[in-house]
Amino acid sequence: MIEVEIVGVRIEMPSNQPLVLLRERTGSRHIPIWIGAAEATAIALAEQGVVPPRPLTHDLLCGVVLALEHSIVRVNLTKVEDGVFHGELVLDNGTVVGSRASDAIAIAQRAQCSIWAAESLIAEAGVEITDHDGDGEETDSAADEEAKEREVRQFREFLNDVEPEDFEK
């Protein structure tokens, strides 16, 4: 398993299909996952630190786990099958619960736990996005922000040419 992080939620044009983009923590491969609008909203709200006036379903699930005196310690993205991403929640007592990848990601944000992806999933669905502009010596926050913007630009260029069918076998 390889640890990944959320880059962000985007809307793929012209279909207006939301997707979440993940990136290897120690590599340059990215994983675009097309998701539903509700999950995109849940992930984006948590990413922005917005607390809804009433708990969303993902908040409810985390609350139930805590009320049962357990915690979610990690999320695993396990496989891609017929273009569908599968995940699982791992609890502190070793219990593993199957999940849609998008729900698992939304829950990971709320539980503040790590997200891991199977090497086979990254090999199948991962996309290499490299930085050709930088010299690798960026150290200040302005340079970090510029690198993030460059990464988003590169991803948008990738999205111009990709279709969901490209990830099917």
Side-chain angles (χ1 to χ4, degrees):
M1 298 289 263
I2 297 171
E3 190 172 7
V4 297
E5 62 188 359
I6 299 168
V7 174
V9 176
R10 306 287 184 260
I11 302 296
E12 191 266 330
M13 299 305 276
S15 68
N16 289 329
Q17 177 71 35
L19 63 87
V20 62
L21 180 64
L22 306 172
R23 173 184 58 221
E24 289 178 298
R25 279 201 179 266
T26 59
S28 60
R29 292 180 293 181
H30 290 67
I31 308 165
I33 303 175
W34 278 263
I35 59 177
E39 293 76 23
T41 300
I43 293 168
L45 287 175
E47 184 180 23
Q48 296 167 7
V50 175
V51 178
R54 297 183 306 153
L56 299 175
T57 304
H58 303 99
D59 301 308
L60 173 64
L61 179 64
C62 289
V64 168
V65 170
L66 286 174
L68 294 172
E69 298 181 356
H70 288 286
S71 62
I72 300 166
V73 295
R74 73 187 268 166
V75 160
N76 296 329
L77 305 178
T78 56
K79 63 183 175 179
V80 181
E81 202 168 73
D82 297 325
V84 177
F85 288 78
H86 297 262
E88 57 189 23
L89 310 176
V90 181
L91 304 182
D92 57 353
N93 65 355
T95 300
V96 176
V97 180
S99 172
R100 296 186 305 177
S102 57
D103 289 326
I105 293 166
I107 289 167
Q109 286 182 300
R110 286 155 176 80
Q112 297 181 343
C113 68
S114 57
I115 303 171
W116 296 79
E119 173 62 44
S120 59
L121 179 145
I122 296 175
E124 183 175 338
V127 177
E128 192 86 22
I129 300 178
T130 57
D131 181 8
H132 297 293
D133 300 329
D135 58 7
E137 297 296 321
E138 298 175 358
T139 57
D140 62 8
S141 61
D144 290 343
E145 190 61 35
E146 184 178 319
K148 287 180 184 178
E149 288 176 20
R150 186 171 41 254
E151 184 175 352
V152 170
R153 266 196 319 275
Q154 289 173 333
F155 183 64
R156 285 185 180 143
E157 290 171 9
F158 161 75
L159 286 178
N160 286 334
D161 297 323
V162 72
E163 297 293 330
E165 295 80 24
D166 293 340
F167 296 98
E168 295 176 3
K169 280 191 168 183

